[in-house]
Each structure stands twice: as C-alpha cells, then as structure tokens.
Amino acid sequence: MSHNKTSKGVYTKYNLHISTDKFFIEPLDVVKSPLLVIDRVTAEIHEEANEGQIPSSASQRLIYGILGVIHLISGPHLIVVTDRSHIGLINNQDVYMLKGTSILSYARTNTHLSQNQIAIDKEYLSLLELILNSPGYYFSYTYDLSHSMQRLHNTPPDFLKKPLHIRGEQKFIWNEYLLNEFTKQVLVPEYCLPIIYGFVSINSCVLRGRSFTFTLISRRSKERAGRRLFIRGVDNKGHVANFVETEQIIETGTDRASFVQTRGSMPFFWQQWPNLRYKPRPTIIQNENHVEAFNKHFEEQVLEYGKQIIVNLVDQKGAEGKLEYFYRELVSKSGNPNLRYEAFDFHSECSKMRWDRLSILIDRLAHEQEEMGVMLTMGDGKVVSEQDGVFRTNCIDCLDRTNVVQSLLATVSLEFILKKVYLLPATGSIRDDAGLQQMLRHVWTDNGDRMSLQYAGTGALKTDFTRNGVRTHKGLLQDLRNSMLRYYFNNLFDGTNQDSIDLILGNYVITPGEGKSVRSPLDSDRGWKYTTFPLVLLVAVAMFFANLVAPPEYTTFNLACLMFWGAMMSLTTATIFYCSGEFIDCPRLVQHRLTAASSRP
C-alpha cells in the first residue's frame, strides 16, 4: 500500500523551492494545494495560492515535514525533514522514524558577522546537528504519538480536532520550541510536524493462528532533559531527570489494549557531578526544599496516572543507600495515600548471577498489578477496563536495572491482555510460545539500549538477561565494555551533548550580537592546565617505559630515572584528578549544577 495518500488537509511530503529571498513549500498530497511562503529577509510566514510565482531559478528538493525554526547568531534557520523510515501502523495510521534533517539559513551570506561570530555560529550548527542526528525521533501525520491510548480515549472530541502539535502532550513534543515561530505568526497547523524522542517498535505477531500487533512506545520528557551525570534528581517545578513514559499496546482486528509504566530519577535534589573518578559519589544537596519539589512531582503524577507504585531498585548500602533512605522518608512524611513504596536492592538480591530472585519482587507487586489493570477496548470500541495507577520504577540512572524490571512487569501484563482478548487460553503462558517470548525480549532489550544511549551515551547494561532470560559471563564482559565507554563519554563529551539538548529545547536562547557586543558562552578558554598536565603525563609515561625496556641492564642511574618518571606519572595523575573540573567537558550554555560539593558525604 502507499503510505503517502492521506485525507485532504494532511500533508506528508513537499517540494521545497529555495530562491534568493524566499522559501516556497509546496505540498504534494493535495491537488492545487496552496504554497507556504517564508520570506528570508523579513522572516514572515504566510500561505498563498500557487499561481506560478516560484522562480525558475529556485533550487528544489523533496522534504517530508517541517520541524520548525531556530535563531542562531546569523539569523533564523529552517529545520526540515529530508528522510524518513516507515516503521508500521498504530490504529491503522502510519508511524515514521526520522532519518535525516537539513538546517537552512535564512541569511544568504555571513558577511554581516565578525570572524569570531562565524566560528561560534558554526559551533551552534554542529550542536544542532549532533542532537538531530541522535537516533530516536518519531512522528506520525495523523496519530498522536505523544498521548497514551487511555489519554486519547478520554479526550473530548473537540480537543481531538485540534492540530497534533497543539493537542499533543507538550512535555513529550521535542520540537515545541522550534514550532513557536509558526504558531505565533500565522495559523498553518498542517505544516507543523511534532516529533517525540525515545523509542517505537511495531511488530506483527501470530499466536495460535491469530494475528495481532505488538507495539512498544517510550516517550522521553523534555522537562529536565539531559545527560546522565549532569542531570539528576528534581527541579523546583517537580520535573525529574530521565523521565520516560513507556506504553505497551496490543491490537487485534477488533480489540486494543494498553499498559503504561514510567521511569524517572529520584524526585529530590541530588547530584552526581563527574569528577574523573569511575563512579562519582551521589550526594543529596543541602538547603533545598526537597519536600515541596517531591510533592509537586507526585501531585502531577497522580493527576496524570493515578496511584503510584514506587519501585526503587538502588543499593541499600553506601552512597546509594543514603539516597534510598532519604526517598523512603520523603514518601513517609508526605502522607500521600496514593503512593506505595517498594524498595528492592537489585544488586544485593541478584548477586552471584541469582537473577531468578527477581521473581521475589514481581510476586510482591502482583497484587498491585492486578488491581491496576490495563486499558482495554473491545469490539466497536467499548471500554472494558481502564488502567488505574502506574509503576514508577527507578534505579540510580533509571536505565539498566529499571529496564529489566519494567520488561518483567510488561510480560505479566501482556499475558493478562492476551487472555482477555482470547489469544491465550486461561491456563496458557507466553512461555509456551518461543517466538513470542523472543520477540518480547528483543523489543524490550532494544528499548533499554535506546534509553541508555540517549541518557548515558552507550547501550544498556544487563541486556543479556533482558534479551535471553539468563545472565551470562559474556554479558558481564559486554557490561564492562559499556561501563568504560560511559566513563569516557560522561567525562569528556557529555557537556557538549548537554549543550545540544539545551539549544534545541530552547533552554538556552542565543542573544542578538552574541560573540561581538555580548560574550558567548561558547567563547571560552580552557586554561593552561587543560593542555599542560595531559602533555606532562604523556611525556612521563613515555619516558618511564623507555627507561623500563631500553637498557640492556639496569644501573643505579636507570633505576633512579624509573623512580623519577614513575613519581612524575603519579604526581601528574593526582594533580589531574585534583583539578578535575579543568578537564571535564561541562555544559556551557546552561548552569545545571545547583551547588558546589557542599552536599552530604
């Protein structure tokens, strides 16, 4: 079937014509459609009849949507979709993954900028390209990917008639800021393409001769968005780091069911700022109103999802143990009857490869999961049940341990749904169908990898259990590799990644005249330590090994040289760790660190 044919008024592909003074955007889905015209000089956006006004000299390219406009030092830039991949249907509506974008400057030249501004502008462009090239953007021209099935069902009909980018759940619309230029100038909703960031997998399945579709959607919130060690805990508005809503949807020919879970950082003020150590100590930030932020977070969560079953998987000893105790106390002090706290020391309980002990946790949660239920419609859309409450799972990162437990809870829910829609007999089990079990494991493993890549820079840990159902020594080696890569990225690259996120979300807005009359945060000098100490360390290492392997026999002089260069290596390494702030790639656009290290030990 063709995936470009849509009803009138829904545009899925365009010809973009670029002249010296205008962008002409011509929809190709509707005969005699109007043109969207963007004036490159005045930045005015309007729609007009297509009457042959496009200059013959204009260049032309095929695009699949408009993500919005962003203002850099050189002026406005139009961001368009140049490539997409069709990944399947949800409720008989096409869903795509973003595969390519293009950033087009309104300005024809940069002659109005100084050389310093040109250099900074290029760096801003590279930051935009970095985040736009990150895998995990999805969109649909007709289906609202930002809302769960239950929210869509409970939405008033008039609201459903609004354009997708307006009616969408804004915390999940990652280009809300970019679309501001369109929404504030003129109503051209059919050109605005909202995108979510996260993971979508759509799979056709057959069970006992009957077909159904299994879909998994993870929606990453743009509130308090960022990278692993820089963005932790909660902010003053109650938004938490790494908040993701994950929805599992089952569709048969007549029935639809949905099960929603959430993950998010522990909702109080804490930090784990990188310091070149393998695992920086997480600390609770003093002199902050933890109770107020905690209450704001859960008031919103209860309003959105109902009762919260808090599943905390952090260690209950050491630095993580202090966070766990603090979280437990906040739940207790809140007196909120809609919160139920369940702590499970994942690493302790499952140590020595005893991953079968996860069944202890699942059994503890079985009663709540049964009460919670699922969203289920059957036949002509009749609501059989709705989900009342949600599991809110976290570990220290809300990645690896969290994904394992969420996948197990999702499996229980899937089995319940398949029995409700008569795809499984009352006494049946998913374990009876190896193909279905393998599909479920692979999808949840891919989801975990994507969540980890977006927050920590690498694939997830513990994926051998999620993918195969067993913990292996090969999986441990893979975890070691990913852990080392996380250390590398978190210390040396994540500040740049954080800047790219803050730029595209509008957390940082470029000031007119930046780089000339106004100092740019990108126009900064690392200082002499940044180059000097690594160079000294490199020389010391080279000289140490040269003295170690070069002489045919060791003399007192050779041993003295070895001791000297060994001491230089140790001293320089210690100095680098002591001055770690000089070497960490920290965010430059937005100040995310709440305090200095004046937190609890």
Side-chain angles (χ1 to χ4, degrees), residues 238-291:
H239 303 135
V240 296
N242 199 20
F243 183 84
V244 181
E245 175 189 279
T246 300
E247 181 181 20
Q248 187 171 267
I249 300 173
I250 309 302
E251 295 180 276
T252 69
T254 56
D255 311 322
R256 299 184 73 217
S258 161
F259 178 65
V260 172
Q261 302 183 69
T262 62
R263 69 176 77 189
S265 191
M266 289 176 278
F268 49 89
F269 295 97
W270 63 281
Q271 65 183 8
Q272 196 178 13
W273 204 259
N275 57 9
L276 294 181
R277 289 175 173 79
Y278 175 70
K279 190 175 181 180
R281 179 181 292 271
T283 53
I284 298 169
I285 299 171
Q286 298 297 307
N287 304 319
E288 294 288 344
N289 195 333
H290 299 282
V291 173

Side-chain angles (χ1 to χ4, degrees), residues 133-172:
N133 290 332
S134 173
Y137 294 104
Y138 298 88
F139 62 89
S140 172
Y141 300 102
T142 56
Y143 186 78
D144 189 349
L145 286 171
S146 70
H147 281 296
S148 68
M149 175 182 150
Q150 184 161 310
R151 281 198 302 266
L152 286 174
H153 189 276
N154 292 331
T155 299
D158 289 345
F159 187 73
L160 291 175
K161 294 178 182 178
K162 294 182 178 181
L164 285 178
H165 72 287
I166 293 175
R167 81 181 204 205
E169 179 60 72
Q170 295 305 309
K171 66 184 176 188
F172 298 131

Side-chain angles (χ1 to χ4, degrees), residues 197 220 224-233 240-244 265 270 396-399 449-458 486 490 494 498 501:
Y197 187 43
R220 179 175 293 282
R224 195 156 175 72
R227 298 289 280 203
R228 178 175 174 243
L229 294 182
F230 293 121
I231 304 295
R232 295 295 210 189
V240 296
N242 199 20
F243 183 84
V244 181
S265 191
W270 63 281
I396 198 74
D397 297 319
C398 308
L399 295 176
D449 277 336
R450 181 67 60 74
M451 295 301 100
S452 181
L453 185 66
Q454 292 169 353
Y455 188 54
T458 72
R486 281 186 185 180
N490 294 166
D494 269 359
Q498 184 64 52
I501 293 170

Side-chain angles (χ1 to χ4, degrees), residues 8 29 217 335 585:
K8 185 176 180 180
D29 303 277
I217 305 175
D585 179 38

Side-chain angles (χ1 to χ4, degrees), residues 430-443:
I430 289 176
R431 291 189 296 272
D432 299 334
D433 191 292
L436 176 60
Q437 192 174 29
Q438 184 182 41
M439 180 279 298
L440 185 65
R441 286 174 173 168
H442 281 290
V443 170

Side-chain angles (χ1 to χ4, degrees), residues 138 417 572 591:
Y138 298 88
I417 290 169
T572 308
Q591 178 57 256

